[in-house]
Amino acid sequence: EICLPIIRPCGEKAYPEISIAMISMILLAGLLLIRELSVSKENNSAKNKLQDFIKSTPSKSFLERYTTYMRLIGTIRLEIKEIVASENPDVEKIHKCIRSCLHGLISLAKDWDGNDGRSYIYRANIMTMVPSEFFTPVSISDDTVKNVIDITDKGKLFLYNGSILTKVRKCSGILILEDTTFTVSTNVAFAQIDDSIKDPICFPYTEQSYNGSQQQPIIPGAPACASFGSTQYLADTRREIDVFLANTQHKDKEFCNRFKNDVNEYYNSMDEAQSILSIPIQLKRKGDFEPDTPHSLQYETIAVLNIYRNRTGIFRDIDSAMSFAQLMEPICYHFAKMLVSL
């Protein structure tokens, strides 16, 4: 028998060691594959984060327009102060000044959305807040506030929908769009009212300090913004309302088809607001506060700014929308000062 000693002593089988070598190679290949997959996953994650950052980072043109807008809104606020201080203030002129600021705002919103916003109509409005304490047996008979009383009386978006006093006792107040004074659209001339709005609207809002045994449900969007004093984003208004109604039906034993039908009827007719960003308009409360005092205790929400369009996904996603809302904070401060001057 002829043997090759350098490979294997004569008479011994090579299969066991060959099998071990093959297994080792397979295991090594598996480890390398796992490593490559892990690196690829990390790279994809980093790539996605970078894309998200780029999407939520304003363009150079936007920042230039935003800087110009900030200077203009400061100038307009000074103009309003001068009008208010005059002997016979021109209220219509003040309203038009505020609408011009709103119009500039929706131009910024459309610019933020880039190509995605070119084909759609953007709108904005300011809704004011009326605390429940305002509604008393005396005030509801006061002709000077008859419009607010009538709108609240006819309002349907209340689960507890009895008399005016019954409605407001079960919430902190009413969020109201009394008329088209503070409404604008990219579909109308600069600083003109948005003529697509036909009827006034009101919602209940319920602040965290409310301690009643029963309360009106908090509808998503502007009512939630007024209730919590924080920005609210609805990427798909209709879907969010469906979820709200389902949750309310599950949680609130007083839920009824009348409320469900009224809410659906209103939102089914809101083609112009298929996605909405609602931002609180706030004033700093008087007094000294500790550095760690919560924001909600330092600031009082007096109104809500709504920016919306006739297509879902305004501002693309919630992160981008919240970034835009942060840039709106100093603008909303100017709006607050303008509103309290009226």
Side-chain angles (χ1 to χ4, degrees):
E1 184 177 2
I2 300 174
C3 300
L4 298 174
I6 60 172
I7 298 175
R8 172 67 55 188
C10 295
E12 293 186 18
K13 293 184 179 180
Y15 299 117
E17 287 196 7
I18 292 174
S19 298
I20 292 171
M22 288 292 291
I23 292 171
S24 298
M25 290 176 66
I26 291 170
L27 288 173
L28 180 59
L31 289 172
L32 289 172
L33 178 61
I34 292 171
R35 180 180 177 276
E36 288 300 315
L37 289 173
S38 177
V39 170
S40 176
K41 185 177 180 181
E42 287 179 6
N43 287 339
N44 287 335
S45 176
K47 183 179 178 182
N48 290 336
K49 287 180 180 178
L50 178 60
Q51 288 175 342
D52 290 342
F53 174 76
I54 292 171
K55 283 196 300 181
S56 62
T57 301
S59 65
K60 182 180 178 181
S61 64
F62 173 88
L63 291 174
E64 289 173 350
R65 295 183 67 185
Y66 176 80
T67 302
T68 302
Y69 177 83
M70 287 299 296
R71 287 198 297 267
L72 288 173
I73 196 172
T75 302
I76 290 172
R77 186 180 150 201
L78 290 175
E79 182 182 349
I80 289 175
K81 287 178 72 175
E82 290 176 1
I83 296 171
V84 171
S86 65
E87 189 173 341
N88 294 304
D90 187 340
V91 177
E92 271 303 315
K93 191 173 182 180
I94 295 174
H95 291 169
K96 192 168 184 177
C97 284
I98 294 175
R99 284 198 301 272
S100 69
C101 295
L102 283 173
H103 221 123
L105 195 95
I106 55 175
S107 178
L108 287 175
K110 198 162 187 175
D111 191 33
W112 182 278
D113 276 351
N115 291 333
D116 185 51
R118 290 183 179 177
S119 305
Y120 309 121
I121 300 171
Y122 285 64
R123 293 180 165 89
N125 65 48
I126 293 177
M127 302 184 75
T128 52
M129 296 165 63
V130 184
S132 292
E133 293 77 18
F134 170 83
F135 299 90
T136 66
V138 174
S139 69
I140 62 176
S141 302
D142 188 344
D143 287 342
T144 61
V145 291
K146 187 177 185 301
N147 197 35
V148 173
I149 300 301
D150 287 346
I151 294 168
T152 306
D153 188 31
K154 295 174 184 176
K156 295 181 178 181
L157 304 178
F158 298 80
L159 178 57
Y160 300 97
N161 198 35
S163 66
I164 291 180
L165 296 180
T166 299
K167 286 178 177 178
V168 300
R169 273 201 301 265
K170 299 185 186 301
C171 59
S172 299
I174 305 300
L175 180 67
I176 187 169
L177 186 65
E178 192 174 349
D179 51 37
T180 55
T181 299
F182 300 132
T183 65
V184 297
S185 163
T186 54
N187 214 29
V188 299
F190 183 77
Q192 299 303 306
I193 63 171
D194 181 6
D195 54 9
S196 71
I197 297 176
K198 305 302 180 185
D199 300 308
I201 186 66
C202 69
F203 302 89
Y205 69 87
T206 305
E207 295 172 334
Q208 291 174 295
S209 58
Y210 178 81
N211 58 8
S213 57
Q214 293 178 316
Q215 72 172 58
Q216 303 281 6
I218 300 172
I219 298 174
C225 178
S227 298
F228 304 123
S230 60
T231 299
Q232 301 292 315
Y233 176 64
L234 303 183
D236 185 334
T237 306
R238 183 64 263 180
R239 185 181 63 193
E240 296 284 352
I241 293 301
D242 287 342
V243 171
F244 158 74
L245 288 172
N247 289 340
T248 305
Q249 184 172 9
H250 177 71
K251 294 177 181 178
D252 199 320
K253 64 180 181 181
E254 300 296 330
F255 185 87
C256 60
N257 284 330
R258 190 275 312 160
F259 177 70
K260 180 179 180 180
N261 293 337
D262 286 342
V263 171
N264 276 326
E265 181 182 356
Y266 174 72
Y267 283 99
N268 285 339
S269 67
M270 290 285 287
D271 288 339
E272 67 272 18
Q274 294 186 36
S275 51
I276 308 170
L277 180 66
S278 299
I279 307 171
I281 295 175
Q282 299 176 321
L283 281 175
K284 191 171 179 65
R285 299 179 192 271
K286 293 180 180 179
D288 297 324
F289 298 95
E290 297 296 327
D292 59 346
T293 303
H295 182 275
S296 59
L297 297 179
Q298 295 187 52
Y299 289 85
E300 176 186 7
T301 305
I302 63 168
V304 172
L305 167 66
N306 296 301
I307 307 167
Y308 51 104
R309 75 177 188 183
N310 60 337
R311 180 73 174 183
T312 58
I314 189 172
F315 304 116
R316 296 184 293 275
D317 55 45
I318 188 168
D319 291 334
S320 179
M322 291 303 175
S323 295
F324 184 85
Q326 283 185 319
L327 292 173
M328 295 301 106
E329 287 182 8
I331 293 170
C332 285
Y333 173 78
H334 282 298
F335 279 131
K337 288 294 188 179
M338 293 176 190
L339 292 173
V340 296
S341 69
L342 294 174

